[in-house]
Amino acid sequence: MSERSEKFVDYIIQRIKNNKGDAAALRRADNPNTEYQSWEILAGFHIKLDSENERLPFAAIAADMARAKPEHNGKILIGQAIARCYDEGNQSDQAKAKLRRLLACDTTAEACRILRPLLTLAESKGIKPLNYATLLDDLLWFSYDESRQRIKAKWAQNFYGKQVEETAND
């Protein structure tokens, strides 16, 4: 995971802890109609607000963190989180369907939109803390064709319980 993503996760944790208004604004960051309310906080971390491929991943991660209120970055990867939401784990047809939907995404915007209910489901099932920094890295690299397939393969391998070695791009 990148240093920038780790610093962003720490930045959001501190903002959420220290200011309830910031936490409320960040909870709205992944809704297209209300995301502008979080822009002051995102811009404070030098996020390019005019770049959808940068803004949407940061907004999606910040919004989920504001809802989940993690004390630190976790170790649970998105594939693992999806599997853990169901009693049968990675053998659940519902879990497999949710993973397939995520893997069918072709753009960063679509992946962020599909992740929103998955992250909410994981939160409702008590699956936490997620590894937000790694997920943020994945979403930031998702817009590049050569990275997208590698990221999808990593998510699928995590879902099926396989560990993936991090590469230099991670």
Side-chain angles (χ1 to χ4, degrees):
M1 81 190 95
S2 74
E3 184 177 329
R4 184 178 188 215
S5 293
E6 288 181 56
K7 286 184 177 181
F8 180 75
V9 168
D10 291 340
Y11 170 75
I12 295 300
I13 288 170
Q14 290 308 311
R15 297 292 296 240
I16 293 167
K17 274 186 186 175
N18 297 328
N19 188 320
K20 290 183 180 185
D22 286 353
L26 289 171
R27 281 193 296 273
R28 299 180 195 108
D30 60 356
N31 181 331
N33 295 326
T34 58
E35 71 169 314
Y36 69 89
Q37 295 177 26
S38 67
W39 286 4
E40 178 183 345
I41 300 164
L42 297 179
F45 196 76
H46 308 290
I47 308 299
K48 294 178 192 170
L49 298 176
D50 59 343
S51 170
E52 187 175 87
N53 287 334
E54 181 169 313
R55 184 187 76 246
L56 293 178
F58 281 99
I61 296 300
D64 193 65
M65 290 179 68
R67 285 189 288 268
K69 300 179 182 94
E71 293 291 320
H72 55 82
N73 189 41
K75 295 186 185 273
I76 301 172
L77 301 170
I78 189 63
Q80 296 168 322
I82 294 169
R84 291 181 185 183
C85 287
Y86 298 92
D87 292 338
E88 301 92 31
N90 63 16
Q91 298 303 309
S92 163
D93 289 339
Q94 285 183 301
K96 289 177 185 177
K98 295 204 182 290
L99 177 69
R100 280 194 301 269
R101 180 63 190 100
L102 181 60
L103 298 180
C105 295
D106 289 325
T107 66
T108 302
E110 183 182 15
C112 289
R113 185 171 42 81
I114 297 302
L115 272 173
R116 182 180 180 193
L118 293 175
L119 295 173
T120 301
L121 176 65
E123 171 66 20
S124 72
K125 298 283 187 174
I127 314 292
K128 59 184 179 180
L130 295 179
N131 188 332
Y132 289 106
T134 296
L135 183 57
L136 178 57
D137 279 343
D138 290 347
L139 292 172
L140 291 171
W141 283 96
F142 201 82
S143 62
Y144 300 100
D145 289 339
E146 64 274 5
S147 300
R148 188 175 315 113
Q149 289 305 318
R150 179 183 53 79
I151 291 165
K152 288 179 180 182
K154 185 172 83 171
W155 289 346
Q157 287 183 317
N158 294 147
F159 177 83
Y160 289 108
K162 308 271 191 235
Q163 291 298 317
V164 179
E165 290 191 25
E166 300 293 322
T167 63
N169 291 338
D170 291 335

